[in-house]
Amino acid sequence: MPRQLGELEDAVMTRVWQWNRPVTVREVLEDLSQERSIAYTTVMTVMDNLHQKGWVRREVDGRAYRYTAVSTRAAYSAALMNEAWSTSDNPAAALVAFFGMMSAEQREALRDAMRMVVPTLPEEEDTAPRPDEAAEAADGAEPEPER
């Protein structure tokens, strides 16, 4: 399970994810330099560490490396959420608390995601709440009547 990225690792990975193409240390350095004073060797070390940790792969391009993300930011975020949830001594309570922190837009995104992930079961087999019921419960709204 991945551990949370450090501040500088996250800043580097944000660029790699946003650009969605192979990047060099020099490109990342030039972009980071707009926000902070940072040395080439620092960025190079961070990118090498990200490679060693399996976050990026690299290929030789002349005298430099080009780095590419191994997975997406969404996959990273999902892994962090799963890690936090799975280490809770009361996962159901953790989910309820998490749902309670969500904005209306986040609850709508949850509804959409649940519709994509959870198939609709035939009525006689359906013992779990429907995906929209779970999101509505988090929203405090009444579920829609069955049709």
Side-chain angles (χ1 to χ4, degrees):
M1 194 53 58
R3 67 172 182 78
Q4 189 168 356
L5 295 170
E7 181 202 350
L8 191 51
E9 290 174 327
D10 186 69
V12 169
M13 284 306 300
T14 294
R15 283 147 180 86
V16 175
W17 283 318
Q18 285 177 343
W19 297 340
N20 197 29
R21 61 173 172 75
V23 300
T24 64
V25 171
R26 176 75 51 205
E27 291 172 309
V28 174
L29 171 71
E30 288 172 2
D31 200 59
L32 282 171
S33 294
Q34 296 175 23
E35 300 171 0
R36 63 177 91 192
S37 176
I38 190 164
Y40 180 92
T41 53
T42 301
V43 177
M44 183 175 64
T45 299
V46 169
M47 294 186 82
D48 184 61
N49 289 344
L50 289 167
H51 175 257
Q52 297 301 321
K53 293 176 180 181
W55 288 105
V56 294
R57 68 176 139 280
R58 66 185 180 194
E59 59 186 49
V60 177
D61 183 14
R63 294 178 45 203
Y65 286 114
R66 288 209 173 265
Y67 295 85
T68 307
V70 169
S71 66
T72 64
R73 178 148 208 138
Y76 166 68
S77 297
L80 289 179
M81 288 188 290
N82 186 56
E83 172 79 6
W85 180 57
S86 64
T87 59
S88 172
D89 60 347
N90 188 340
L95 283 175
V96 169
F98 179 66
F99 293 157
M101 294 177 197
M102 293 176 134
S103 68
E105 293 81 20
Q106 290 169 324
R107 288 189 299 272
E108 186 60 32
L110 173 63
R111 281 186 199 93
D112 293 342
M114 291 295 292
R115 285 184 193 107
M116 287 188 281
V117 174
V118 179
T120 305
L121 299 173
E123 251 183 74
E124 62 273 5
E125 296 178 25
D126 192 3
T127 58
R130 293 189 337 261
D132 52 336
E133 288 174 339
E136 286 164 354
D139 197 8
E142 290 294 318
E144 291 182 23
E146 290 284 329
R147 292 177 205 158

